[in-house]
Amino acid sequence: MSALILKMTGRDRQLLVLLATGSLIVMTGGVIAPIFPEIVTDLDLSPALAGYLVSSHFLTVAIFSPILGILADRLGQVRILVVSLILYALFGMAGGLMQSFLPMLITRGLVGAASGGIAAASLGLLVKMYDSSEERSQAIAYVSSVLTVSNIIYPVLAGLVGGFHWRLVFCLYGLALPLGLLVVLTLQPKKGLETSSSESSAKANNSDQLIQALKNPFILQIFLTLCLTAATAYAVIIYLPLYLKATMNSTTVLNGVVLASQALGAAAISAFGVRRLAQRFGLISTIGCGFGCMALPLMIIPQLQDLVLLFPTTIIFGVGLGIVVPSLYNLLSNLAPSEYQSSILAAGTGANFLGQFLCPSLFGLVLSDQGLIGVFYVAASLPLMLGLLMLVNFRGEILNEPRSRSVPKG
């Protein structure tokens, strides 16, 4: 595979490497969930307490993505990416050696921190590779597709490896090491991809400009939108299987297929449809349409009694999610000053993972008060509210122009 990548030329090779490294963000938690019961049994853990082994990395990704994004802008994205990949592999594999809850929890948090560096640096490098909004939109859509497909592939791979022994699954984190080598070989620091020392010094002296950009109300609204969108999407992952079990006595296989259908819908539209929609209707209208596609299925699901209708419903939800997330990142890249794109996009990634981390708390309150049906109705109201706010607050702004890179004043 490495020989094939090295034979590829220019930007396509760089894009492929960045997509591969970005997929590791999904691996962070995706390979743990399938072996979670074995971890609980072998280490004699409380199931409630052990749940933090699956979710703790969301918090550390949310915390460290913005911090490492700032460092990537100042020290260089390639440097931060390579170091993060090495630490990701070491901390990840170390988890398989732990014999008790607390040491394993610490390694899980450290893997999440390294994932934050991978997310910040790889996304920052990606947007620097493309000058036009259309090209960036397509590249970000590819990232969204890869992450979505990875959400299917990595758990399956972990299940196969875990069939021998659950500790062997932690060896999968070692894939970050050869990817780090590919990063060094294909993404050598160069003009347009890295930050010169003089630029780094200038940025260090102008951090107030970054703070001012982060205070921009349009950017803050996108952060909030990413956070609540991620919480909504994760609520479907958590509560849809519970609802199907309660109403249709579904099996684990059926639950997996249903969740995979929405993931495939997201991957398909991200790869092949988002760019065309943005070109035809503009980013803001495209995002509004995506939120509508997310809200409608969430309102329909509590009314469904037939599995035949369930699959197209979840696919439509996936399509909406596949429209919204890459479009929001593209909008954020248009807003961000070019010298601070890694920092601002990393903060957006942090907001995304924060939403996933907060999801059980936010919707758990709804579940205890309104039940599973209430969860879906509340989840449907969030995309409607977010879409409406986007259409109202961003209407007529220059952000609809494909090549806009300025930050509107709040």
Side-chain angles (χ1 to χ4, degrees), residues 288-368:
C289 175
F291 277 128
C293 290
M294 289 179 64
L296 182 61
L298 292 174
M299 290 186 287
I300 292 175
I301 286 174
Q303 316 300 325
L304 292 179
Q305 302 295 327
D306 192 340
L307 285 175
V308 175
L309 299 176
L310 179 64
F311 288 102
T313 304
T314 54
I315 289 173
I316 292 172
F317 176 83
V319 167
L321 186 65
I323 291 173
V324 168
V325 174
S327 297
L328 285 173
Y329 276 110
N330 189 28
L331 184 59
L332 195 59
S333 71
N334 286 346
L335 276 166
S338 58
E339 64 269 28
Y340 298 117
Q341 281 187 329
S342 287
S343 301
I344 292 176
L345 288 171
T349 300
N352 188 308
F353 278 95
L354 181 62
Q356 295 181 56
F357 179 76
L358 294 176
C359 172
S361 299
L362 294 175
F363 286 96
L365 296 174
V366 180
L367 179 65
S368 61

Side-chain angles (χ1 to χ4, degrees), residues 10-173:
R11 201 162 58 176
D12 290 338
R13 184 173 64 215
Q14 294 173 347
L15 175 62
L16 182 59
V17 172
L18 289 176
L19 292 176
T21 57
S23 73
L24 297 180
I25 303 169
V26 172
M27 181 195 282
T28 307
V31 299
I32 295 299
I35 61 171
F36 179 65
E38 285 73 18
I39 294 177
V40 171
T41 301
D42 283 10
L43 300 185
D44 193 24
L45 304 177
S46 162
L49 189 64
Y52 288 104
L53 295 176
V54 181
S55 63
S56 61
H57 72 279
F58 289 138
L59 181 59
T60 51
V61 171
I63 293 172
F64 282 92
S65 289
I67 297 172
L68 294 173
I70 293 172
L71 287 177
D73 277 329
R74 293 185 175 179
L75 303 179
Q77 284 87 1
V78 170
R79 294 185 185 93
I80 295 298
L81 181 56
V82 171
V83 171
S84 296
L85 287 168
I86 293 172
L87 294 178
Y88 180 93
L90 295 178
F91 293 140
M93 291 188 292
L97 304 176
M98 301 299 108
Q99 303 295 325
S100 60
F101 172 75
L102 185 58
M104 184 174 287
L105 182 65
I106 292 173
T107 63
R108 299 301 302 151
L110 292 172
V111 171
S115 298
I118 294 172
S122 60
L123 193 54
L125 283 167
L126 188 73
V127 298
K128 286 181 180 295
M129 287 169 54
Y130 301 94
D131 295 324
S132 72
S133 177
E134 293 89 344
E135 289 180 321
R136 284 198 309 275
S137 177
Q138 186 62 62
I140 293 173
Y142 286 145
V143 173
S144 181
S145 299
V146 168
L147 294 181
T148 303
V149 173
S150 297
N151 264 316
I152 302 171
I153 294 176
Y154 282 133
V156 172
L157 182 60
L160 294 174
V161 176
F164 296 96
H165 197 283
W166 65 266
R167 291 187 183 274
L168 294 177
V169 172
F170 289 86
C171 296
L172 294 175
Y173 290 108

Side-chain angles (χ1 to χ4, degrees), residues 85-271:
L85 287 168
I86 293 172
L87 294 178
Y88 180 93
L90 295 178
F91 293 140
M93 291 188 292
L97 304 176
M98 301 299 108
Q99 303 295 325
S100 60
F101 172 75
L102 185 58
M104 184 174 287
L105 182 65
I106 292 173
T107 63
R108 299 301 302 151
L110 292 172
V111 171
S115 298
I118 294 172
S122 60
L123 193 54
L125 283 167
L126 188 73
V127 298
K128 286 181 180 295
M129 287 169 54
Y130 301 94
D131 295 324
S132 72
S133 177
E134 293 89 344
E135 289 180 321
R136 284 198 309 275
S137 177
Q138 186 62 62
I140 293 173
Y142 286 145
V143 173
S144 181
S145 299
V146 168
L147 294 181
T148 303
V149 173
S150 297
N151 264 316
I152 302 171
I153 294 176
Y154 282 133
V156 172
L157 182 60
L160 294 174
V161 176
F164 296 96
H165 197 283
W166 65 266
R167 291 187 183 274
L168 294 177
V169 172
F170 289 86
C171 296
L172 294 175
Y173 290 108
L175 291 173
L177 294 177
L179 286 175
L181 178 60
L182 288 175
V183 168
V184 172
L185 294 175
T186 60
L187 294 168
Q188 291 292 340
K190 60 181 73 175
K191 184 177 180 181
L193 279 181
E194 274 288 22
T195 304
S196 68
S197 59
S198 61
E199 288 174 334
S200 297
S201 177
K203 290 173 187 176
N205 295 328
N206 292 284
S207 58
D208 58 325
Q209 295 181 11
L210 172 60
I211 295 174
Q212 189 64 31
L214 290 172
K215 288 182 178 179
N216 185 278
F218 293 101
I219 290 178
L220 291 176
Q221 181 177 339
I222 295 176
F223 289 162
L224 178 62
T225 303
L226 281 167
C227 181
L228 294 179
T229 300
T232 302
Y234 207 60
V236 173
I237 294 175
I238 295 174
Y239 297 110
L240 182 56
L242 295 177
Y243 178 78
L244 294 178
K245 180 66 175 179
T247 59
M248 302 182 187
N249 196 29
S250 63
T251 63
T252 56
V253 174
L254 177 61
N255 291 338
V257 173
V258 170
L259 293 177
S261 67
Q262 65 98 3
L264 291 174
I269 192 66
S270 295

